[in-house]
């Protein structure tokens, strides 16, 4: 589903004062570029941007209207304000709906694994996969069923490649999820000992230090 959003052209002014003023009004500076599109500085309402991304998802196709002309775009990149949690800048990539795109898709785990039932732990070393797919077929996420995953086993891209209708670009040995055994009490005690040793500070001004200074 394509979600609609409006953008306004803006002057290509990269001065911090001008950008700060835009953000203070609730707007986000950005740029549109790509398929049959000249690089165009724009602004979008942050409220509308957040609402649109909630509807379309991170990789969803957006019908972006600029001065009465709509373009199919995807969110190519963005910058966030780490303190405020707000958008600082967005990049929109204009696309041809007939051409395939390379995008990152989130990996979502489903089911309670056999390893967890045995007291083990699930680890997810990679939370995204890279795929090549037409814009209209971009999945919201890659769902990985962990139900049969026992302790000591892993699920890799090679295990699920044939279960999806699009091309996964990562290698077959790219690990998506593992089931590991719980640590023994001896292992926990050893970790605690190492942690205590690392945490022991050097006492500034101690007799040894004073002796070394002499």
């Amino acid at each position: 589903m394509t979600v609609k959003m409006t953008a306004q052209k803006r002057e290509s002014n990269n001065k911090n004062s001008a950008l700060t003023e835009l953000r203070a009004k609730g707007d986000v500076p950005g740029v549109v570029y790509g398929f049959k599109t000249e690089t165009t500085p724009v602004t979008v309402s942050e409220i509308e941007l957040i609402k649109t991304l909630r509807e379309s998802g991170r990789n969803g196709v957006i019908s972006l209207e600029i001065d009465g002309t709509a373009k199919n775009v995807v969110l190519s990149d963005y910058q966030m304000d780490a303190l405020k949690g707000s958008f600082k800048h967005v990049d929109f990539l204009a696309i041809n709906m007939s051409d395939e795109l390379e995008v990152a898709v989130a990996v979502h785990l489903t089911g309670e694994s056999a390893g967890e039932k045995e007291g083990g732990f699930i680890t997810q070393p990679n939370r995204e996969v890279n795929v090549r797919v037409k814009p209209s077929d971009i999945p919201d996420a890659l769902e990985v069923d962990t139900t049969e995953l026992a302790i000591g086993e892993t699920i890799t891209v090679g295990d699920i490649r044939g279960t999806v209708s699009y091309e996964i670009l990562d290698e077959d040995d790219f690990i998506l999820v593992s089931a590991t055994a719980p640590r023994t009490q001896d292992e926990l005690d050893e970790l605690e000992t190492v942690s205590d040793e690392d945490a022991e500070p050097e006492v500034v001004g101690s007799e040894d230090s004073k002796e070394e200074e002499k």
Side-chain angles (χ1 to χ4, degrees):
M1 180 181 68
T2 302
V3 181
K4 295 181 179 180
M5 190 170 72
T6 303
Q8 289 76 40
K9 286 185 180 179
R10 65 178 172 90
E11 294 296 323
S12 182
N13 188 342
N14 292 321
K15 291 184 178 179
N16 287 335
S17 58
L19 299 179
T20 299
E21 185 178 347
L22 278 174
R23 296 178 185 119
K25 294 190 300 183
D27 292 329
V28 182
V31 65
V32 182
Y33 60 93
F35 179 68
K36 293 185 177 180
T37 300
E38 292 185 5
T39 300
T40 306
V42 296
T43 61
V44 296
S45 161
E46 183 169 31
I47 292 176
E48 188 178 3
L49 174 63
I50 293 171
K51 180 181 177 182
T52 299
L53 293 178
R54 283 175 179 168
E55 291 184 41
S56 68
R58 170 64 177 84
N59 294 318
V61 178
I62 300 169
S63 177
L64 187 66
E65 183 177 317
I66 310 171
D67 291 349
T69 301
K71 294 180 178 292
N72 288 319
V73 303
V74 292
L75 182 63
S76 172
D77 198 7
Y78 62 92
Q79 297 174 14
M80 302 292 293
D81 186 310
L83 294 178
K84 298 179 180 178
S86 56
F87 283 92
K88 292 185 65 177
H89 192 276
V90 289
D91 289 2
F92 295 105
L93 174 66
I95 59 173
N96 181 353
M97 294 295 288
S98 299
D99 291 341
E100 292 183 328
L101 293 175
E102 293 184 9
V103 296
V105 174
V107 176
H108 288 176
L109 306 182
T110 63
E112 183 182 5
S113 72
E116 287 176 294
K117 293 178 181 178
E118 297 169 4
F121 298 96
I122 289 294
T123 58
Q124 190 177 355
N126 296 296
R127 298 179 179 273
E128 288 185 337
V129 292
N130 298 294
V131 307
R132 182 182 290 118
V133 63
K134 287 189 176 181
S136 57
D137 297 327
I138 297 174
D140 292 331
L142 170 64
E143 293 195 348
V144 177
D145 184 3
T146 66
T147 306
E148 302 299 324
L149 187 65
I151 289 177
E153 295 181 342
T154 62
I155 298 177
T156 66
V157 163
D159 296 321
I160 53 91
R161 191 184 296 281
T163 66
V164 297
S165 59
Y166 45 85
E167 181 184 0
I168 301 178
L169 301 177
D170 299 294
E171 298 294 334
D172 281 350
D173 60 358
F174 192 69
I175 297 175
L176 303 178
V177 57
S178 300
T180 59
R183 286 194 171 101
T184 65
Q185 188 59 49
D186 288 343
E187 290 174 325
L188 292 174
D189 291 342
E190 184 177 348
L191 285 173
E192 186 175 347
T193 301
V194 171
S195 177
D196 290 342
E197 290 174 352
D198 291 341
E200 185 176 340
E202 179 184 355
V203 180
V204 177
S206 66
E207 291 301 323
D208 289 342
S209 299
K210 290 178 181 177
E211 193 65 35
E212 288 176 5
E213 290 175 2
K214 292 179 183 178

